[in-house]
Amino acid sequence: MSLHCENIVKTYSGKDVLDKVTLDIQPGKIYGLIGRNGAGKTTLLSILAAQNPASSGSVTLDGQRVWENRKSLEKICFSRELNANAESGLAAMKAKEYLRIAATYYEGWDKPLEERLVKLFDLNVKKKLGKLSKGMLSMVTIIVALCSKAAYTFLDEPVAGLDVVAREQFYKLLLEEYSSSGRTFIISTHIIEEAADVLEDVIILHEGRILIETDTQAFVDSAVHVSGKAEEVDAAVSGLEVHHPETIGRSKGVTVFLKPGQKVDESRDVSVQPVSLQRAFVALCGEEEGKS
Amino acid sequence: MKRNLKFWTRYTWESMAVDLSFMAGLAVITLFSAEGLDLGMFASIMPYYLCIAATFGMLIINTGSQSLYVPLLLSMGETRRNVLLGFHYYRTLIISVTLALCALIWLLIPGEVSSAGLRSIPTILCILVASSSLGSILGTLFTKWKWLATVIIIILCGGAGGAVGFMGVAAADSLVITETLEMAAHLETLPWWLALTAVAALALDVAFQWMLLRRQEVKL
Amino acid sequence: MNERLTEQKSIYLQISEMIETDILREILLEEEQVPSTNELAKLYTINPATAAKGVGLLVDEGILYKRRGIGMFVANGAREKILAKRKAAFAENHVAPLLAEAKSLGISKEELLTMIGERNV
């Protein structure tokens, strides 16, 4: 029982945006989908929700194909990031109208929750989407995601443009909804640090491929920062998976990803420090220029 | 499907409201220009105005509905098949309601114009089907090749504006009713080429729409 | 319970330590119910699974126990257990770094003892 995608390939004008992505989304978890700009996050979510067709590969929910299957689609909500610029037809649509259409299409729409959130966010629903700020548009997408009550709910950059108080509010609401319903959420975000503690599992997408799909805590615990005199550091981490080396004079710092059973040689004169999810992500995906 | 029907039914009423206000606009032009107006005559040409409004309405509104609502509904988890069915349900509904309204007015106000009107219904049906298919093809084009459709829409809007302007001028000469009646006389017999055009446009529209809809990418 | 989380340590360890500290300070009393994992999750904006892991650690140590269908409670003798545990860890966690820092600063053992003696403990 899960949302599963197998060997998803997506090609746009000859370029592979997604390259053989296989993922198993277990029910009742909050996943974080992180990756740099252009890594393919939105494309992946669109394909999981059957909003975009894959070039090849399949998406199934509980063994049933998702594409053109209303029964499966009803259990999935991908609340897209809204870009109501002048070109988009959405610019002229009132927020209220957008929410009304969502309420029509999502089977389990939670009207009282919608009213509560509109009030909490102080959202003027009579305004046209084109007249709303980036943060307010994010609020609209958050409302759709939470009120849809879909078993599998995806949010694309839900906190973009929200101030720090609203972001905190969002994470608390998400946890509240998650605790009471046990729904599955996939949240793609750039603001990793704040989200880190909320995400049970983390999926790292890099250049169209899945690099990591694991328990967030286990991933963070497996990464350490080792620093000291260059030779000492090199000796301490020899044979380990080393990323993102930085040197200044004789001093060197590296991020090491430890496999089970591996250890940094602490008999060397080095400092070994824990790293945050964000630092671990940068070490993994932010290779320095010139390195392939 | 129930939710889908609910959405498109509501959308039909909203479009109908636009058509009715367009018709009202034409009616006002006539009222202000025609002298010694016969009320019965006036009422029995209203259906023609409604059909003109519906024709232009479908040409223009369809474009918006397709480039805006189709991706929006897909983004809310509707299947492509249901979106297509829903859209054609809307078309069927709006054409049926328009024709039913016309027939009702003509039946309630008997007269020469009205009986001619009733005989014209098959022709009007074909015109409505053809123009709504054309509008829909434009809408599909618009989703995929925005610039091309934009050019066509500008030409159409110009045409519509010209037609209204012409009617305004004609109205100023208080010829509008005569003009309308002259036009209506042509509608009584259904030319075979019009019937063929309507069927062909409809088939082309459905095929073209489905071809693109099947692989459409949602962009809001 | 209202301490802040830091990045220096795994979140679940911090959760279990915070509960322990509250028991030590008698903010939580023995045989009293502790907040549910969902409440903890919301308070700290962390995943409930992480909170559950922290609580689970204390259950394994016999500091908390579960009452079916009601929730988690502080066990009898939990405070004693935590005191013993913290005392055992004190030398490792606090004295060792103190001595290491003293050594690198060239502070002698006598000086260090004097410094400690001057403080009113």
Side-chain angles (χ1 to χ4, degrees):
Chain A
M1 290 289 137
S2 64
L3 180 64
H4 184 78
C5 72
E6 185 91 30
N7 277 321
I8 295 292
V9 176
K10 180 71 183 178
T11 315
Y12 282 117
S13 46
K15 192 178 172 286
D16 279 354
V17 178
L18 294 176
D19 184 14
K20 298 208 187 78
V21 172
T22 296
L23 256 185
D24 200 49
I25 302 298
Q26 295 292 330
K29 277 192 181 184
I30 302 179
Y31 288 84
L33 177 60
I34 62 181
R36 301 190 60 186
N37 283 331
K41 302 187 294 288
T42 306
T43 308
L44 177 59
L45 294 178
S46 300
I47 290 174
L48 283 177
Q51 293 185 12
N52 289 7
S55 303
S56 69
S58 66
V59 183
T60 54
L61 176 61
D62 301 341
Q64 301 281 316
R65 210 168 161 220
V66 171
W67 185 260
E68 283 296 90
N69 182 347
R70 184 72 181 130
K71 269 223 163 68
S72 303
L73 286 169
E74 250 161 31
K75 296 189 185 122
I76 299 173
C77 165
F78 172 24
S79 191
R80 300 184 76 90
E81 203 180 354
L82 293 173
N83 281 317
N85 52 24
E87 262 187 67
S88 156
L90 276 180
M93 186 184 273
K94 283 181 181 169
K96 205 169 144 182
E97 174 80 356
Y98 185 77
L99 292 173
R100 185 187 63 76
I101 297 172
T104 310
Y105 274 89
Y106 290 110
E107 195 87 56
W109 187 263
D110 189 339
K111 186 76 186 163
L113 183 60
E114 177 199 324
E115 281 161 7
R116 189 187 135 205
L117 295 182
V118 166
K119 215 165 161 189
L120 178 71
F121 290 141
D122 201 14
L123 184 71
N124 185 354
V125 291
K126 288 191 186 117
K127 267 193 172 174
K128 289 179 175 164
L129 292 174
K131 294 262 183 275
L132 293 181
S133 68
K134 181 92 193 77
M136 286 170 173
L137 287 173
S138 290
M139 290 167 185
V140 175
T141 65
I142 289 170
I143 293 174
V144 169
L146 293 179
C147 296
S148 76
K149 294 277 169 182
Y152 292 84
T153 306
F154 316 149
L155 286 136
D156 196 7
E157 298 290 349
V159 296
L162 291 184
D163 66 36
V164 67
V165 174
R167 295 206 293 266
E168 175 96 8
Q169 261 175 345
F170 162 68
Y171 288 118
K172 289 209 190 286
L173 284 166
L174 174 72
L175 285 167
E176 182 187 302
E177 180 60 26
Y178 171 71
S179 305
S180 66
S181 69
R183 293 160 64 185
T184 306
F185 290 92
I186 305 181
I187 291 152
S188 92
T189 182
H190 278 113
I191 307 177
I192 300 172
E193 219 44 88
E194 293 175 357
D197 300 339
V198 174
L199 311 172
E200 185 168 354
D201 273 30
V202 64
I203 302 165
I204 297 182
L205 192 63
H206 188 53
E207 292 171 353
R209 275 192 293 263
I210 305 272
L211 284 190
I212 299 285
E213 199 285 280
T214 185
D215 181 89
T216 310
Q217 190 71 54
F219 173 65
V220 171
D221 287 348
S222 78
V224 286
H225 188 259
V226 182
S227 57
K229 212 171 169 185
E231 302 92 79
E232 292 289 316
V233 170
D234 288 339
V237 302
S238 78
L240 303 175
E241 187 188 334
V242 175
H243 286 265
H244 212 257
E246 286 171 317
T247 49
I248 176 160
R250 289 189 194 88
S251 163
K252 184 174 186 180
V254 296
T255 305
V256 177
F257 288 90
L258 299 166
K259 300 205 167 54
Q262 287 185 332
K263 266 194 78 166
V264 173
D265 182 1
E266 293 198 47
S267 67
R268 298 285 172 170
D269 188 13
V270 290
S271 310
V272 179
Q273 293 170 301
V275 299
S276 61
L277 179 60
Q278 178 159 315
R279 296 309 311 167
F281 169 72
V282 170
L284 204 58
C285 298
E287 292 297 349
E288 294 299 303
E289 273 180 75
K291 272 194 78 179
S292 57
Chain B
M1 204 60 197
K2 210 177 81 194
R3 302 174 165 274
N4 200 26
L5 290 182
K6 191 174 151 193
F7 170 83
W8 287 107
T9 308
R10 181 175 166 135
Y11 183 67
T12 309
W13 301 144
E14 284 167 1
S15 310
M16 203 66 211
V18 176
D19 292 350
L20 285 172
S21 41
F22 192 8
M23 180 195 85
L26 292 176
V28 168
I29 293 175
T30 315
L31 263 184
F32 275 103
S33 57
E35 290 160 26
L37 192 67
D38 173 2
L39 257 186
M41 174 77 94
F42 177 68
S44 42
I45 62 169
M46 269 314 107
Y48 289 116
Y49 288 179
L50 179 61
C51 291
I52 292 169
T55 306
F56 285 111
M58 282 189 296
L59 276 174
I60 290 155
I61 295 175
N62 273 358
T63 318
S65 71
Q66 259 172 310
S67 56
L68 172 63
Y69 289 109
V70 169
L72 185 63
L73 300 186
L74 290 178
S75 88
M76 287 175 177
E78 189 51 283
T79 60
R80 284 140 214 272
R81 186 178 147 269
N82 281 358
V83 168
L84 185 80
L85 291 177
F87 179 74
H88 289 282
Y89 159 78
Y90 141 75
R91 282 177 49 173
T92 313
L93 195 60
I94 199 160
I95 292 175
S96 319
V97 171
T98 305
L99 284 178
L101 264 178
C102 293
L104 189 71
I105 295 173
W106 282 325
L107 286 173
L108 286 179
I109 306 158
E112 210 177 304
V113 179
S114 292
S115 32
L118 285 171
R119 282 194 298 276
S120 306
I121 282 180
T123 314
I124 296 174
L125 171 70
C126 286
I127 292 174
L128 290 178
V129 169
S131 59
S132 96
S133 297
L134 181 62
S136 175
I137 291 170
L138 271 179
T140 313
L141 271 177
F142 193 75
T143 331
K144 190 82 180 170
W145 297 282
K146 221 170 194 165
W147 61 272
L148 179 62
T150 310
V151 170
I152 301 177
I153 288 165
I154 289 170
I155 294 169
L156 273 176
C157 285
V164 172
F166 166 75
M167 293 193 77
V169 175
D173 296 342
S174 81
L175 282 171
V176 68
I177 291 176
T178 339
E179 291 281 333
T180 310
L181 291 179
E182 220 165 85
M183 184 186 79
H186 290 298
L187 298 176
E188 281 185 62
T189 48
L190 171 61
W192 62 270
W193 55 266
L194 182 61
L196 207 67
T197 307
V199 173
L202 182 65
L204 182 69
D205 168 36
V206 175
F208 187 40
Q209 199 183 4
W210 181 240
M211 194 181 85
L212 289 186
L213 186 60
R214 264 181 68 214
R215 308 289 297 168
Q216 187 167 342
E217 313 250 331
V218 175
K219 281 197 195 86
L220 292 185
Chain C
M1 204 64 74
N2 278 309
E3 286 175 44
R4 294 276 130 211
L5 297 172
T6 78
E7 274 174 28
Q8 292 308 311
K9 220 179 209 176
S10 296
I11 305 292
Y12 71 95
L13 288 176
Q14 296 185 55
I15 295 294
S16 68
E17 275 171 21
M18 274 192 265
I19 297 174
E20 282 182 355
T21 306
D22 278 7
I23 296 171
L24 277 183
R25 290 182 181 157
E26 297 184 313
I27 296 169
L28 285 168
L29 301 175
E30 288 179 1
E31 294 303 331
E32 201 172 62
Q33 190 170 6
V34 296
S36 73
T37 51
N38 284 343
E39 285 168 324
L40 291 171
K42 207 175 163 198
L43 178 61
Y44 296 114
T45 15
I46 57 171
N47 193 287
T50 314
K53 199 169 166 190
V55 170
L57 217 58
L58 296 177
V59 173
D60 292 344
E61 290 176 26
I63 289 165
L64 301 182
Y65 71 96
K66 191 175 185 170
R67 274 195 210 159
R68 238 168 231 290
I70 307 176
M72 292 292 173
F73 286 79
V74 180
N76 238 325
R79 197 165 176 270
E80 282 307 307
K81 248 183 211 162
I82 297 163
L83 268 176
K85 191 171 82 167
R86 292 255 172 123
K87 272 183 188 164
F90 185 75
E92 180 66 25
N93 290 349
H94 299 278
V95 180
L98 181 76
L99 291 176
E101 178 73 359
K103 194 180 156 196
S104 63
L105 295 178
I107 298 171
S108 73
K109 197 175 169 186
E110 287 69 35
E111 275 179 283
L112 190 60
L113 286 174
T114 319
M115 273 186 216
I116 294 170
E118 278 167 0
R119 298 255 162 179
N120 294 319
V121 181

